[in-house]
Amino acid sequence: MDFQQEYIEEVRQILKDLEKSLMQLDENPDHADEIANVYRYLHTLKGSAGMFGFHQIEKLTHELEYLYSDVRDGIRAHDEQIMDLTLHSVDVLADLIEGQPADDEVEKIIRTVLAMRDTAASPSLTTLASDTGKQLPQAVIIFFTPDSNIFKRGINLNAILDDIRELGHAEIIVHNESVPLEKQLESRELTSWFEVLLVPEQDMEEIRDVFMFLGENEYEILELTSPEQFMTEPYTRRITLSEEQINDRINTLKAWSPQLFEAGVEEIIEEPTAGKAVDLKANAEGQEDEETFTFETKKSKKNKGNISVSTPKLDQLINIVSELVTFRSELQHLMSDNRNTKVVEAMEKLDFLTLRLRDSAFNIRLVPLSILQVKLQRLIRSVSKELNKDVEFITEGLDTELDRSIINALEAPLMHIIRNAMDHGIEQPEERMKRNKPEKGLLKLYSYNSGDHVFIQVQDDGNGIDFDKIREKGIAKGLLNAQQNYSEKELINVMMSPGFSTASAVTTVSGRGVGMDIVKKEVNALRGDVEISSEKGLGTIITLRLPLTLTILDTLVVRVADQKYLIPVSEVEYCYEEQHANLFSKKSRHIRYEKQLVPFFSLREYFEREEHPEKETVIVVNKNDTRVAVVVDGIAGQYQTVYKPLNELLQPVDCFSGASILGDGSTALILNALKLKN
Amino acid sequence: MTQNNLHVLLFTLQKELFGISVMNVIRVTNIEKLIRIPKAPAFIAGAINFEGNVIPVVDLASKIELGTTTALPGTKVIILEVDHDGDSLEVGIMIDEVLDVAQVEAASLLPPPLDNMGFNTNALTGMHKIEDDFYMILSARKIFEKELASLVQ
């Protein structure tokens, strides 16, 4: 990966973090930490963009940074306008970093920012001191360039310099001092000029009065409001400063005026009032927060560092680790007769390390569902604006981990489902009021593990699915028979068939995504299912059931004849031992469990093994509220395993949902107990 | 390797001589722990853990109707990679002994005899003669033609 590629990756990550912070701000606009975060992200983006030739990014972030420094300093509120603008900027920045030209958009945003900043009362932008009234400027730079004939004019230079010192805290920097200043004064031949850093205790008028005997081109008074001024006109006309020199100057000024460039601007604007006092207090607090924040980021940076790795590399690692686990068990077998305690100890250590290595390697591929959260929040935000429907978005269990590839593939379907729920499900606020519902719609996204599946549910409290409408439409489209009665389930199936859309008109919101048929198709492609349940007037729940693929699975290891099989622990409801004779004395194959008859299947019988143990073990499996009992020889233990999909050649064997490598390197099949019934 | 040249792995199975393109061969390994897969098609002897993946082991003899091979610890398995639909299927085939790797010029490949061979010759792509011995060249794709076809559906 070359540097530029690395930089692009970094920017992508920063943009993601930035987006996340913005979403936090959307919920809680006064969050000082997040404002500081946004500012820092923008600053980081700006810093590196120029180096890699992304000048548009540099320009854009530069302007936004100004805006956020104002927000951070309490000069302006983080309002909707800023939020929209920044979110839009994030998109534009994302385009830019991918190499898509977006000059127009950049210009547009910059113009908006400039307009916004103009409306903010900051007269400081006009640098030459004009009528700023009686208020004190925060910092002033004076260029004092007396003509060499100053002495002939009878002007006492020393007196002027003394007067300057009396204006407040001042440092006079002498330039062009090829001859020491004292000598120049003595010989009355002046070659030097003076740069004055001043934190005045007098107002502008007083400052100007010092120079009242001098010509207009002999001095220039510059109000200093931002460090950038050291690098721009009119400063540069006089002198070009190195970064170090600039920092020296800033430090000097800050020593006298710690609030410089940060919180001072409103002091110029506002009369000292009670309101101001509050503002200052808020500022002080904000700064405190910022300090703890930087400390925190230092910490979290250490924890959160990410690198991206290509999937084949990862797969290779995982396979090698699996092999190592196999080899370890082989070694253990070879060493089993060894009585040397040191060897035994070393083996135990190797054992422990290999298993830990395996666990960490397997964990790498898994990512929490929450990585989609920001994207979904943004979608909800923009859709709710578009439709004028306010929505409360609640999430739960988004730390559920899934294979990265599944999560990536889920993004589009989930977005569509949410869009649908907001467009078709949740009613307009007025309508909701009429129905005694809270004005704000409720959208819930939750996820959990169950058995060998991960469930993701999207629930809304909207109008529910209008089954009559689906029926009508299905008939109109020739998908349904007008004479027939259809169950809700059948109607839902029709709804998810290709080309069906329930929206009575194609709105911009639903018109641009995929239809429910595509959602179904995409989820099916992940070997998952979509289930919809809806209550008219109350809302809809859409459930995505997804296989774990690489998800770590807790399994019960059971013995049948000379082989081991796995049953997901989450499916196991109850286990007990029973005499073979008792179980098989009758022809009917049912056990009594919780006052119900549960069919049982003997795996030995099912796998066509003749002999059987005297004492059998019965395992009651409950999956999706269907109970089945499985009769096995015994339980060999519990094992956390990594699900491997069955090889294509084995997929017709549907009584197994997958396979797994056990800790000793041997292979075991994962039982799909419900399929035993068929 | 040019297109006209083909490297084949030569092996024996039920006293017959076979070859298969090395392009399909991932590795030759010994069976250590084979698990049986109940309810699987008869030609599948079981599955093994190969580099962390669960790979089905096919009784090649039974698949091409040449008899059966008993899967024992130490039985040789060629792990094959068969392309289908842009994806690749990994599968092991049980053989008797690995002999050699030979370079075969495509032009010198003879058409396979189709009759009276004592096994299903659909999986053959050609025949190669080395000195006095005839080697039947198998196509990995053709061995699993039926299974691959059902996968596409």
Side-chain angles (χ1 to χ4, degrees):
Chain A
M1 211 186 269
D2 59 19
F3 286 125
Q4 174 138 0
Q5 192 55 41
E6 241 171 70
Y7 166 72
I8 290 174
E9 286 295 327
E10 189 193 321
V11 170
R12 282 189 192 134
Q13 188 54 49
I14 294 175
L15 286 177
K16 259 186 216 160
D17 292 343
L18 175 58
E19 211 175 10
K20 199 166 162 187
S21 290
L22 287 170
M23 283 298 123
Q24 292 286 334
L25 279 175
D26 197 33
E27 269 171 37
N28 184 0
D30 302 323
H31 207 300
D33 281 5
E34 292 299 347
I35 298 271
N37 271 344
V38 170
Y39 179 79
R40 188 169 54 88
Y41 293 137
L42 290 169
H43 188 77
T44 316
L45 284 172
K46 185 183 85 172
S48 44
M51 229 163 77
F52 291 94
F54 288 95
H55 296 296
Q56 293 286 51
I57 293 185
E58 194 182 6
K59 252 165 83 179
L60 183 53
T61 46
H62 180 74
E63 294 302 331
L64 289 170
E65 196 187 342
Y66 266 129
L67 208 54
Y68 274 86
S69 81
D70 283 358
V71 172
R72 188 192 55 182
D73 299 340
I75 295 168
R76 63 165 71 243
H78 195 266
D79 55 14
E80 279 292 297
Q81 196 192 0
I82 295 184
M83 179 59 108
D84 286 341
L85 188 74
T86 320
L87 282 173
H88 181 56
S89 304
V90 170
D91 295 339
V92 172
L93 287 169
D95 281 351
L96 286 172
I97 198 70
E98 305 301 338
Q100 293 169 34
D103 294 11
D104 291 354
E105 286 301 314
V106 173
E107 290 303 323
K108 229 157 93 187
I109 293 172
I110 289 177
R111 273 202 302 276
T112 317
V113 176
L114 288 178
M116 284 166 88
R117 286 179 49 215
D118 271 354
T119 55
S122 57
S124 48
L125 284 173
T126 51
T127 49
L128 269 173
S130 51
D131 283 331
T132 40
K134 288 282 171 196
Q135 279 79 43
L136 294 184
Q138 273 254 304
V140 167
I141 299 291
I142 303 165
F143 296 110
F144 182 24
T145 51
D147 263 346
S148 50
N149 65 5
I150 180 170
F151 297 105
K152 287 177 192 150
R153 284 190 277 154
I155 292 168
N156 185 344
L157 187 62
N158 264 331
I160 294 179
L161 293 177
D162 283 340
D163 283 349
I164 291 173
R165 287 187 191 103
E166 275 167 27
L167 287 170
H169 299 282
E171 177 169 329
I172 299 172
I173 301 164
V174 184
H175 291 280
N176 261 349
E177 208 182 7
S178 48
V179 179
L181 185 63
E182 279 155 54
K183 285 265 165 66
Q184 291 181 40
L185 294 175
E186 244 177 62
S187 63
R188 297 169 66 92
E189 272 178 38
L190 188 69
T191 52
S192 291
W193 60 277
F194 309 91
E195 177 191 355
V196 182
L197 310 179
L198 178 68
V199 172
E201 281 159 8
Q202 310 285 337
D203 63 28
M204 275 302 202
E205 249 170 54
E206 297 283 337
I207 297 172
R208 250 174 281 138
D209 279 351
V210 172
F211 301 97
M212 66 196 292
F213 298 111
L214 290 154
E216 250 184 41
N217 53 358
E218 283 178 300
Y219 69 98
E220 185 170 358
I221 301 171
L222 186 66
E223 196 176 318
L224 192 65
T225 51
S226 97
E228 266 78 4
Q229 276 171 277
F230 285 115
M231 289 168 281
T232 50
E233 282 279 285
Y235 224 103
T236 44
R237 198 168 62 228
R238 312 271 180 186
I239 183 169
T240 310
L241 298 173
S242 72
E243 201 176 321
E244 200 187 317
Q245 286 170 318
I246 293 173
N247 284 337
D248 279 351
R249 282 163 172 75
I250 292 173
N251 289 338
T252 305
L253 289 168
K254 279 209 172 186
W256 296 321
S257 169
Q259 302 271 314
L260 183 67
F261 305 142
E262 279 173 10
V265 183
E266 80 258 51
E267 284 185 18
I268 313 170
I269 310 155
E270 286 175 14
E271 291 293 326
T273 58
K276 182 192 160 194
V278 172
D279 272 353
L280 284 174
K281 202 173 149 230
N283 271 330
E285 272 172 14
Q287 279 186 340
E288 246 175 62
D289 284 348
E290 197 186 319
E291 265 170 41
T292 49
F293 150 73
T294 40
F295 174 65
E296 271 171 18
T297 41
K298 265 182 204 151
K299 258 196 334 201
S300 59
K301 255 187 187 162
K302 267 183 201 155
N303 295 338
K304 275 189 179 169
N306 281 326
I307 55 160
S308 45
V309 181
S310 68
T311 324
K313 274 190 190 169
L314 212 58
D315 289 345
Q316 199 184 4
L317 172 73
I318 286 172
N319 284 342
I320 291 172
V321 170
S322 303
E323 265 192 299
L324 182 67
V325 171
T326 320
F327 174 69
R328 176 206 58 122
S329 60
E330 224 177 280
L331 192 64
Q332 198 170 32
H333 184 74
L334 290 172
M335 301 287 239
S336 56
D337 293 337
N338 201 314
R339 295 269 175 264
N340 186 330
T341 47
K342 278 196 175 156
V343 175
V344 172
E345 260 174 44
M347 270 309 294
E348 273 171 10
K349 196 164 181 185
L350 178 69
D351 242 46
F352 174 70
L353 286 176
T354 345
L355 292 183
R356 271 188 54 188
L357 178 65
R358 185 202 60 192
D359 287 349
S360 348
F362 287 148
N363 261 318
I364 299 174
R365 267 193 76 93
L366 302 181
V367 288
L369 199 59
S370 55
I371 63 163
L372 288 180
Q373 193 171 353
V374 171
K375 276 205 173 130
L376 298 178
Q377 278 172 330
R378 274 204 70 178
L379 173 83
I380 290 166
R381 190 175 184 277
S382 71
V383 175
S384 83
K385 283 201 150 185
E386 206 168 323
L387 298 173
N388 227 343
K389 294 175 181 173
D390 213 356
V391 165
E392 189 172 356
F393 183 48
I394 297 176
T395 60
E396 212 181 288
L398 293 200
D399 51 355
T400 308
E401 290 193 324
L402 274 159
D403 195 276
R404 167 129 226 165
S405 55
I406 293 191
I407 293 213
N408 287 347
L410 272 181
E411 188 183 316
L414 272 180
M415 286 179 100
H416 180 76
I417 290 170
I418 286 177
R419 206 177 266 160
N420 251 353
M422 292 179 71
D423 192 10
H424 309 313
I426 290 168
E427 312 90 332
Q428 290 295 340
E430 314 84 64
E431 184 65 30
R432 293 180 63 87
M433 298 296 269
K434 264 188 236 160
R435 296 186 183 188
N436 274 334
K437 287 183 182 179
E439 198 178 333
K440 247 183 170 181
L442 184 71
L443 199 58
K444 229 171 135 182
L445 173 71
Y446 43 100
S447 179
Y448 54 94
N449 265 308
S450 171
D452 49 2
H453 285 85
V454 166
F455 289 80
I456 299 170
Q457 294 191 305
V458 180
Q459 181 181 3
D460 69 67
D461 70 341
N463 195 24
I465 291 173
D466 189 340
F467 287 104
D468 295 335
K469 220 164 161 185
I470 290 179
R471 200 185 133 83
E472 267 171 46
K473 199 140 194 175
I475 293 166
K477 294 213 163 189
L479 296 164
L480 295 173
N481 186 337
Q483 264 73 54
Q484 210 170 317
N485 272 328
Y486 292 98
S487 68
E488 289 189 352
K489 214 170 177 174
E490 285 167 315
L491 289 170
I492 282 169
N493 281 337
V494 168
M495 195 178 90
M496 288 195 280
S497 57
F500 193 96
S501 170
T502 52
S504 35
V506 176
T507 65
T508 50
V509 178
S510 60
R512 71 172 103 123
V514 286
M516 268 322 275
D517 56 321
I518 308 284
V519 169
K520 189 180 152 84
K521 211 175 121 192
E522 285 184 8
V523 174
N524 284 351
L526 298 169
R527 295 197 294 122
D529 277 326
V530 185
E531 217 175 86
I532 300 180
S533 73
S534 185
E535 199 76 44
K536 197 170 178 181
L538 292 177
T540 307
I541 301 177
I542 296 182
T543 309
L544 308 185
R545 193 172 67 114
L546 293 152
L548 304 165
T549 317
L550 255 160
T551 313
I552 287 173
L553 189 64
D554 257 320
T555 58
L556 196 67
V557 185
V558 300
R559 278 182 291 110
V560 179
D562 52 357
Q563 257 178 232
K564 286 173 182 161
Y565 297 89
L566 305 173
I567 302 175
V569 165
S570 52
E571 292 177 15
V572 175
E573 199 167 282
Y574 189 65
C575 307
Y576 65 97
E577 287 185 345
E578 181 67 277
Q579 294 297 323
H580 178 84
N582 285 349
L583 272 173
F584 294 88
S585 59
K586 289 183 292 183
K587 267 210 149 172
S588 68
R589 294 287 167 86
H590 281 98
I591 55 158
R592 238 166 271 154
Y593 175 75
E594 293 208 332
K595 295 172 190 165
Q596 275 185 333
L597 282 181
V598 175
F600 74 79
F601 302 90
S602 158
L603 285 189
R604 271 187 182 253
E605 202 172 63
Y606 191 73
F607 298 158
E608 288 149 22
R609 308 288 247 149
E610 303 286 313
E611 67 288 5
H612 57 80
E614 244 172 62
K615 197 180 246 174
E616 305 256 27
T617 300
V618 181
I619 297 168
V620 180
V621 171
N622 185 342
K623 191 174 171 185
N624 303 339
D625 285 328
T626 309
R627 283 201 184 101
V628 161
V630 180
V631 177
V632 299
D633 294 4
I635 293 168
Q638 198 171 332
Y639 184 67
Q640 204 186 47
T641 180
V642 172
Y643 173 90
K644 306 256 178 193
L646 277 186
N647 182 285
E648 291 90 329
L649 276 188
L650 301 176
Q651 271 172 16
V653 193
D654 65 357
C655 56
F656 302 111
S657 61
S660 207
I661 312 285
L662 294 182
D664 64 357
S666 66
T667 314
L669 297 162
I670 301 169
L671 199 68
N672 189 357
L674 289 194
K675 294 285 181 189
L676 296 174
K677 277 174 89 171
N678 310 332
Chain B
M1 192 171 72
T2 65
Q3 285 230 311
N4 299 331
N5 271 339
L6 173 76
H7 285 81
V8 290
L9 179 73
L10 304 177
F11 60 89
T12 62
L13 178 64
Q14 310 276 341
K15 291 184 183 155
E16 297 283 347
L17 300 172
F18 288 98
I20 193 159
S21 165
V22 295
M23 295 299 285
N24 291 111
V25 176
I26 301 177
R27 200 190 289 179
V28 180
T29 177
N30 295 330
I31 287 184
E32 282 164 28
K33 287 180 189 131
L34 179 92
I35 57 154
R36 278 180 311 284
I37 301 178
K39 303 287 170 187
F43 67 85
I44 292 179
I48 55 165
N49 165 14
F50 174 69
E51 295 187 347
N53 289 323
V54 180
I55 306 270
V57 173
V58 165
D59 182 353
L60 178 63
S62 137
K63 187 82 182 76
I64 60 173
E65 299 162 30
L66 185 66
T68 54
T69 308
T70 316
L72 295 168
T75 301
K76 293 267 181 302
V77 173
I78 303 177
I79 310 285
L80 295 177
E81 184 178 34
V82 192
D83 288 334
H84 72 91
D85 236 13
D87 219 346
S88 82
L89 167 74
E90 285 182 14
V91 56
I93 52 171
M94 291 196 291
I95 56 151
D96 289 349
E97 284 302 327
V98 172
L99 299 173
D100 203 354
V101 175
Q103 191 177 322
V104 177
E105 270 180 49
S108 73
L109 211 60
L110 306 165
L114 297 176
D115 304 322
N116 216 19
M117 287 298 291
F119 63 91
N120 188 336
T121 51
N122 287 342
L124 295 184
T125 56
M127 183 169 69
H128 181 60
K129 186 167 176 268
I130 300 175
E131 286 164 11
D132 288 337
D133 293 325
F134 289 94
Y135 292 86
M136 303 299 146
I137 310 299
L138 290 162
S139 148
R141 263 200 78 85
K142 285 186 173 177
I143 299 174
F144 298 105
E145 196 150 37
K146 226 165 67 186
E147 287 73 23
L148 292 177
S150 71
L151 281 180
V152 175
Q153 290 164 18

